[in-house]
Amino acid sequence: MESFFAVLLIATGVTVILFASAFLNAFVLSKLWLWFAVPIFHFSPLSYAQAMGINLLVGFITAHYIKEPEKDSGSSGLITFMLVRPLVALGIGYI
């Protein structure tokens, strides 16, 4: 029974991280679009839902290769990649 709760906790944590990453990516896309595409190309600003849809569409149709983590590294590298990468892009775009 104890292992069931451990698996349930891990599955819940992974789900939360995936949703947080998707929402963070959509937020960053909408901000970068507002900062660059709107003034340069005179496009309309993206709503949050449109940014989420474009993010999911592009992620779906482009190939992603994620190297399997080493046995000692755990999943912290993947979590860092999923959450820090959009923040770095936002910071560089802000400059």
Side-chain angles (χ1 to χ4, degrees):
M1 190 60 128
E2 191 172 301
S3 65
F4 171 74
F5 288 118
V7 170
L8 184 63
L9 182 63
I10 290 171
T12 303
V14 168
T15 303
V16 167
I17 297 277
L18 288 174
F19 276 103
S21 175
F23 284 110
L24 182 61
N25 281 320
F27 173 76
V28 169
L29 177 63
S30 67
K31 289 300 178 190
L32 292 175
W33 185 274
L34 184 66
W35 293 343
F36 296 108
V38 172
I40 294 171
F41 302 112
H42 305 289
F43 290 155
S44 299
L46 286 180
S47 70
Y48 191 74
Q50 290 169 331
M52 178 73 79
I54 289 174
N55 186 34
L56 292 174
L57 177 68
V58 170
F60 178 71
I61 62 175
T62 57
H64 296 281
Y65 173 73
I66 299 174
K67 185 175 74 170
E68 290 194 27
E70 297 174 11
K71 293 178 182 176
D72 296 335
S73 70
S75 61
S76 63
L78 181 61
I79 292 169
T80 303
F81 175 77
M82 291 174 64
L83 297 177
V84 173
R85 184 180 63 107
L87 295 175
V88 170
L90 186 66
I92 291 172
Y94 182 76
I95 295 173

